[in-house]
């Protein structure tokens, strides 16, 4: 078995035996993986309490050649999610990011940029950044990286440019803006303010390097932010086929 190293975000930990556990990790270099951590539940574990939900750790694992769990041999804590012990709304926001990473990604499909924006967003949340804007930026960045970003630039059906004025139509099923001609006969169409679409464009085009992620995201007025939140919530629900469980636990001013 080959030995591999990477940075990892802990997505889930479940008991496997009296002394061991199974963890789901989102790694920078290998994407989402499942690992067996033998002895992780012992008082003097070789993993130094690194396998906490939302923790960033540096791991070494033995890659299995066939489908199945890899064997975790080392995990050293790089950063713990400190908000978990002091702010429930920020803890739930972190849980929401973890849920999206579990639900939107396939096993062993690496997207280093997705790991970076998850890491950067969790750090910004921990440092007191605006939760509503941070989550919207993460969601749109994740959708862009994974190839699911809706079309905000022109009509998703005919490709014609659209002038942003008044209210514009957005098709949840087709995944983007609709001109007046293509809107006819479409199902699950909502209308949103032009300013809302412009805000989504701005967030979708955000700098997702660590420098950009640690900068404060743009703020929006209450009405635009509410419409942006509603549109993204519905789109992600349609994409997954169900509503993310943690959406209901987000602060009312976020969801």
């Amino acid at each position: 078995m080959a030995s591999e190293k990477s940075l990892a975000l802990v997505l889930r930990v479940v008991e496997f035996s009296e002394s061991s556990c199974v963890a789901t990790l989102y790694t920078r270099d290998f994407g989402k993986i499942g690992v067996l951590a033998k002895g992780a539940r012992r008082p003097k574990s070789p993993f130094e309490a690194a396998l906490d939900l939302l923790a960033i750790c540096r791991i070494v694992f033995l890659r299995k050649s066939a489908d199945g769990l890899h064997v975790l041999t080392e995990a050293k804590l790089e950063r713990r999610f400190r908000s978990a012990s002091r702010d429930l709304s920020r803890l739930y926001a972190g849980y929401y990011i973890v849920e999206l990473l579990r639900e939107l990604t396939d096993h062993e499909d690496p997207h280093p940029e997705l790991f970076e924006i998850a890491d950067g967003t969790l750090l910004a949340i921990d440092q007191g950044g605006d939760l509503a804007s941070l989550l919207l930026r993460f969601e749109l960045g994740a959708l862009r990286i994974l190839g699911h970003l809706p079309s905000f630039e022109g009509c998703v059906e005919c490709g014609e440019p659209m002038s942003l004025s008044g209210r514009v139509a957005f098709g949840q099923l087709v995944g983007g803006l609709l001109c007046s001609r293509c809107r006819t006969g479409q199902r699950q169409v909502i209308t949103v303010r032009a300013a809302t679409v412009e805000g989504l464009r701005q967030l979708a085009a955000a700098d997702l390097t660590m420098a950009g992620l640690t900068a404060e995201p743009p703020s929006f007025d209450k009405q635009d932010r509410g419409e942006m939140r509603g549109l993204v919530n519905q789109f992600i629900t349609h994409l997954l086929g169900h509503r993310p469980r943690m959406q209901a636990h987000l602060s009312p001013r976020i969801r």
Side-chain angles (χ1 to χ4, degrees):
M1 293 185 288
S3 176
E4 307 282 10
K5 299 179 181 180
S6 189
L7 276 175
L9 168 63
V10 181
L11 304 183
R12 176 182 285 166
V13 180
V14 295
E15 295 179 4
F16 180 74
S17 68
E18 289 186 3
S19 61
S20 303
C21 65
V22 171
T24 304
L25 310 174
Y26 194 82
T27 68
R28 188 186 189 284
D29 303 289
F30 306 98
K32 183 172 65 180
I33 62 172
V35 296
L36 174 62
K38 297 179 180 179
R41 301 182 61 213
R42 291 173 182 158
K44 294 185 178 180
S45 162
F47 306 113
E48 302 178 2
L51 297 180
D52 284 342
L53 190 61
L54 293 167
I56 299 291
C57 51
R58 195 168 295 277
I59 65 166
V60 180
F61 66 96
L62 298 177
R63 177 186 286 276
K64 290 278 191 175
S65 57
D67 291 340
L69 295 172
H70 305 303
V71 178
L72 191 67
T73 59
E74 186 176 330
K76 293 187 176 180
L77 182 67
E78 289 281 308
R79 191 180 75 247
R80 200 179 301 280
F81 188 65
R82 296 187 304 276
S83 291
S85 62
R86 65 173 187 256
D87 189 327
L88 198 58
S89 64
R90 293 181 182 276
L91 175 62
Y92 286 158
Y95 285 168
Y96 179 59
I97 288 172
V98 160
E99 182 178 10
L100 290 184
L101 288 174
R102 289 202 315 260
E103 295 270 0
L104 288 172
T105 61
D106 296 321
H107 278 275
E108 309 222 17
D109 181 22
H111 293 279
E113 190 180 14
L114 182 56
F115 175 86
E116 297 295 342
I117 69 166
D119 184 15
T121 301
L122 289 171
L123 179 59
I125 289 173
D126 232 357
Q127 293 175 340
D130 178 68
L131 283 180
S133 296
L134 288 170
L135 285 181
L136 279 168
R137 185 174 64 181
F138 172 78
E139 290 163 315
L140 293 169
L143 291 173
R144 189 180 84 190
I145 292 166
L146 296 171
H148 300 305
L149 184 69
S151 172
F152 299 122
E153 298 301 324
C155 178
V156 69
E157 288 285 85
C158 67
E160 289 294 317
M162 293 179 58
S163 60
L164 293 183
S165 61
R167 297 189 72 84
V168 293
F170 180 91
Q172 293 287 352
L173 294 180
V174 293
L177 302 181
L178 290 165
C179 67
S180 57
R181 184 177 64 255
C182 295
R183 176 179 177 172
T184 304
Q186 295 282 356
R187 295 182 299 113
Q188 295 192 26
V189 176
I190 61 174
T191 62
V192 294
R193 298 169 66 202
T196 298
V197 176
E198 187 55 48
L200 290 167
R201 284 180 176 178
Q202 188 177 353
L203 285 171
D207 176 12
L208 298 182
T209 64
M210 187 57 76
L213 289 167
T214 53
E216 189 71 19
S219 59
F220 304 94
D221 68 36
K222 185 176 180 180
Q223 185 175 3
D224 286 335
R225 190 167 65 182
E227 283 197 342
M228 293 161 72
R229 180 74 267 157
L231 185 152
V232 172
N233 279 353
Q234 290 183 46
F235 183 77
I236 289 176
T237 295
H238 168 70
L239 184 64
L240 295 178
H242 61 88
R243 186 185 184 195
R245 186 173 61 87
M246 288 309 303
Q247 271 187 7
H249 297 279
L250 296 176
S251 168
R253 60 188 177 86
I254 298 173
R255 65 173 189 265

